[in-house]
Amino acid sequence: MLNGDSLTPIYVQVAEWLETEILNGNLRSNERVYSQYQLADMFNINPATAAKGLNILADQGLVYKKRGLGMFVSPRAGERIRRKRINRNLKRLAQELAMEAERLGVSREELLDLIAEAWIQARKEELE
Amino acid sequence: MRAAVECSGLTKAFGSTVAIDNLSFKLPANKITGLIGRNGAGKTTLLKLIAGYLAPTGGSVKVFSENPFNNVRVSANLIFVDDKMTMPQSLNLGEILEAVGGFYENWDHRLARGLLEYFNLNPRQHHYNLSKGMKSTFNMIVGIAARCPLTIFDEPTVGMDAAVRKDFYRALLKDFLQHPRTVFFSSHLLNEISEILDDILLLDQGRCRLYMTKDAVKEFAVGLQGKEEAVAAIAGGSEIFYRKKLGPENLYLVVPNRFSEEELLAARRKGVEVSAVPAEDLCVYLTAKHKGGIDDVFDRN
């Protein structure tokens, strides 16, 4: 769900949620995306905010508009989202991780061990 | 965009007290706008001027291009919901809905009865016997079901418990999605309503302090917290909306959000925590007379 207290604006969170839906395969190429009104109802937000989220995806070409029919997932959108997230989110998270480790006086090796552990945990959960 | 309400130089004085001071703004049609302000900022006076309950002492207000004062065409197209709505004593709730429904063209009786049932209000009850929160709930139901092109809520949630308030916001949003209309909504609980709003108008001593989209308000300022020198260095000479000392060395500042992502990351590296400033807090800071809030009173001694 969306987090109103986050530094990330709600419309960006809506865009990220839609991206995740595409990434998961819940929304496939050339499939219709939720309308701004459906999103507004789902997340209990103003439809203008929902539209702003949809427009972020449209501006990046991850969805395309069919006049009178709504927005549809662009071909290969999933792969592009994956690459974008590695470049932006994962790098940012790594930076935060490194900063917190620095503050706590955690060594490089300890940090890498922690990451390896989390990695194994995530794999396990996926297999279950 | 078509304006539902247009105020220009609008002024209302009660004796020597100026409640609304030369206010000019346009309320766009078919949006939900939040009217925010401290006690005594002039919110209710402004809403009553728009509803035509009060006549301005200066300037003008237009609702759907007409003067609302003493105007039946405007009254038929707007509803003003607050906790002082007068309902006929001889009618029970069910009868009131029938009567009100006859006045408003877009009235949805099924919705009204459905909401009445959902909120456990007995149609055979009388309005004067309702508790404060139930009265507010009933008035809110009338306000939604009337589907007026201009729907004004003045502190509609007085006495409502948290669950009812949540249901109310959702009911309003859902009905708005189906039947767009202009909603002007005053509230002290901005954090609760902010997600359903398009725009926020912040009133301060009868003047407009801020009028922008809700998203812009949420990005308007950031909070910086950390060692005093580090925080001050990042804030530089920028305007300060709020400052609070946290212990002997730490400082929390709320400043305009003019930082790039790189600058914010650099701030974090120097141990300064960067946080979002909830719209409600920002509105309090922007309309405060003391930069340190209530603490100023105690720190003086």
Side-chain angles (χ1 to χ4, degrees), chain B:
Chain B
M1 193 172 292
R2 196 167 67 90
V5 177
E6 196 171 344
C7 298
S8 95
L10 183 65
T11 301
K12 176 72 188 177
F14 298 99
S16 59
T17 311
V18 181
I20 295 296
D21 189 1
N22 197 15
L23 189 63
S24 301
F25 71 95
K26 281 182 194 171
L27 201 66
N30 298 331
K31 288 196 172 190
I32 306 180
T33 304
L35 178 61
I36 310 301
R38 308 293 288 265
N39 292 330
K43 300 187 296 294
T44 298
T45 304
L46 174 61
L47 294 178
K48 284 187 171 168
L49 285 162
I50 293 170
Y53 292 9
L54 295 173
T57 45
S60 73
V61 52
K62 291 263 158 62
V63 177
F64 305 121
S65 312
E66 295 198 39
N67 180 356
F69 191 69
N70 256 340
N71 186 328
V72 74
R73 260 197 309 271
V74 171
S75 324
N77 283 298
L78 78 74
I79 188 162
F80 182 93
V81 177
D82 70 354
D83 60 345
K84 292 180 199 71
M85 282 172 102
T86 346
M87 300 290 179
Q89 299 235 346
S90 55
L91 304 182
N92 64 33
L93 299 184
E95 290 162 345
I96 292 173
L97 292 185
E98 298 275 349
V100 176
F103 187 70
Y104 292 109
E105 199 184 338
N106 304 330
W107 176 262
D108 185 331
H109 203 65
R110 272 191 58 193
L111 176 67
R113 293 297 295 231
L115 290 171
L116 204 65
E117 197 189 314
Y118 178 86
F119 288 106
N120 284 320
L121 289 164
N122 181 348
R124 276 188 293 278
Q125 254 179 317
H126 281 269
H127 196 259
Y128 53 81
N129 282 333
L130 297 178
S131 73
K132 198 188 265 183
M134 286 173 119
K135 238 178 225 168
S136 293
T137 306
F138 181 78
N139 297 351
M140 161 277 274
I141 291 172
V142 172
I144 291 179
R147 291 208 180 123
C148 285
L150 176 58
T151 301
I152 297 174
F153 289 106
D154 187 16
E155 289 291 339
T157 58
V158 173
M160 285 184 191
D161 66 41
V164 173
R165 291 202 301 273
K166 251 191 171 157
D167 281 336
F168 162 44
Y169 305 141
R170 179 140 183 87
L172 177 63
L173 178 71
K174 278 185 92 85
D175 204 55
F176 171 81
L177 290 172
Q178 300 291 325
H179 305 276
R181 69 197 91 159
T182 308
V183 180
F184 204 16
F185 191 136
S186 89
S187 175
H188 286 294
L189 306 168
L190 180 54
N191 284 349
E192 285 188 7
I193 63 164
S194 80
E195 288 324 328
I196 68 166
L197 299 179
D198 282 288
D199 300 327
I200 290 175
L201 196 165
L202 175 62
L203 210 57
D204 186 21
Q205 296 174 39
R207 296 194 198 111
C208 177
R209 177 70 179 80
L210 200 117
Y211 185 23
M212 52 176 73
T213 68
K214 177 248 346 250
D215 293 324
V217 173
K218 294 187 108 180
E219 292 169 52
F220 193 72
V222 282
L224 304 172
Q225 182 183 327
K227 287 260 187 293
E228 191 158 356
E229 309 85 70
V231 170
I234 289 153
S238 85
E239 192 186 351
I240 291 163
F241 298 137
Y242 181 72
R243 73 179 293 139
K244 186 180 168 69
K245 290 276 282 177
L246 301 161
E249 288 176 15
N250 282 307
L251 184 65
Y252 174 68
L253 280 188
V254 174
V255 294
N257 184 8
R258 293 204 196 91
F259 304 101
S260 65
E261 239 173 86
E262 289 74 40
E263 284 174 301
L264 291 179
L265 190 67
R268 288 212 183 112
R269 282 214 191 84
K270 287 185 194 119
V272 174
E273 250 179 77
V274 181
S275 56
V277 180
E280 183 170 306
D281 295 354
L282 177 70
C283 287
V284 170
Y285 301 152
L286 288 179
T287 54
K289 291 189 191 70
H290 305 275
K291 287 282 163 268
I294 189 77
D295 283 9
D296 281 0
V297 177
F298 293 89
D299 293 344
R300 219 177 289 147
N301 302 314

Side-chain angles (χ1 to χ4, degrees), chain A residues 33-100:
Chain A
V33 184
Y34 304 98
S35 73
Q36 66 177 109
Y37 301 102
Q38 286 173 312
L39 290 168
D41 191 3
M42 281 160 68
F43 292 116
N44 214 25
I45 56 174
N46 186 283
T49 309
K52 236 172 140 181
L54 278 168
N55 283 335
I56 293 181
L57 266 63
D59 289 345
Q60 296 174 4
L62 297 170
V63 297
Y64 62 92
K65 201 178 268 178
K66 273 197 208 170
R67 261 203 117 130
L69 293 174
M71 303 269 211
F72 293 79
V73 179
S74 302
R76 291 197 312 282
E79 181 48 31
R80 286 175 51 202
I81 291 164
R82 202 178 79 84
R83 251 182 290 134
K84 188 182 76 172
R85 288 213 171 171
I86 293 171
N87 282 330
R88 287 201 32 207
N89 297 13
L90 214 52
K91 275 191 186 157
R92 200 185 58 222
L93 286 170
Q95 276 169 337
E96 303 235 347
L97 214 55
M99 263 155 33
E100 183 69 6

Side-chain angles (χ1 to χ4, degrees), chain A residues 113-128:
Chain A
D113 283 349
L114 278 173
I115 294 172
E117 216 172 281
W119 165 268
I120 291 163
Q121 195 66 37
R123 295 241 120 175
K124 233 194 259 168
E125 270 159 28
E126 188 151 323
L127 289 174
E128 270 167 15

